[in-house]
Amino acid sequence: MMKKLHTVNEKQLAQLLTLWLNSNLDAHAFIDKRYWQEQLPFVKKTLPESELYIYTTNDKILGFIGLMDNYIAGLFVEKSYRNLGIGTKLLHAAKANHEQLTLTVFEKNNKAVKFYLAENFLIEKKQLDAHTNESEFVMTWT
């Protein structure tokens, strides 16, 4: 079941943070895992302030998309539930409520780049992420 979260309770926040960390570690093996672990306090603070859409089954969060205004801060799906359309459903929920969306994605994250291109996002520019020193694409959808 998919829904928009208006408030986040402690149980949901714990699930979101675990999913965020595990997904980033899995998708970004080219970045030192300490980077993601060091980001956890910031993510814990900002997640409840974000526009969140979650996909759940039996109160377990299997995926979520977080937005700050029109910026997609992240789209995450539990590893064993990927390629089942959950990410697409989450993205479509965000698209239904926004006229334009932007995001950044690491160039080496090929699966994500292909996913967003297939969802009609365009690569606007390539830049260097100051924190990781990795190339990333700025992508937009209108």
Side-chain angles (χ1 to χ4, degrees), residues 2-3 14 17 20 42 52 55 64 68 71 85 89 123 140:
M2 194 173 54
K3 64 181 176 180
L17 289 171
W20 177 88
F42 173 76
L52 293 169
Y55 189 94
F64 77 94
M68 300 297 276
Y71 178 76
K89 289 176 183 171
I123 297 172
T140 59

Side-chain angles (χ1 to χ4, degrees), residues 107-140:
E107 182 179 12
K108 290 180 183 174
N109 188 350
N110 295 323
K111 286 183 180 180
V113 173
K114 287 179 184 176
F115 171 76
Y116 290 117
L117 288 172
E119 284 292 327
N120 298 314
F121 278 75
L122 300 175
I123 297 172
E124 296 293 329
K125 68 179 176 177
K126 183 177 173 178
Q127 62 190 23
L128 198 63
D129 177 67
H131 303 289
T132 62
N133 221 26
E134 290 287 339
S135 293
E136 64 183 3
F137 294 127
V138 176
M139 301 181 79
T140 59

Side-chain angles (χ1 to χ4, degrees), residues 46-47 49-51 66-73 98:
T46 57
L47 260 178
E49 301 167 1
S50 302
E51 179 182 346
L67 297 100
M68 300 297 276
D69 298 317
N70 291 325
Y71 178 76
I72 298 175
H98 294 267

Side-chain angles (χ1 to χ4, degrees), residues 5 8-23 40 47 54-64 76 78:
L5 281 185
V8 179
N9 64 39
E10 286 299 316
K11 180 182 174 188
Q12 291 168 326
L13 183 58
Q15 287 184 57
L16 292 168
L17 289 171
T18 299
L19 181 53
W20 177 88
L21 181 60
N22 290 340
S23 295
L40 267 175
L47 260 178
I54 62 169
Y55 189 94
T56 62
T57 185
N58 300 325
D59 286 332
K60 178 174 170 40
I61 299 173
L62 301 179
F64 77 94
F76 307 97
E78 183 80 38

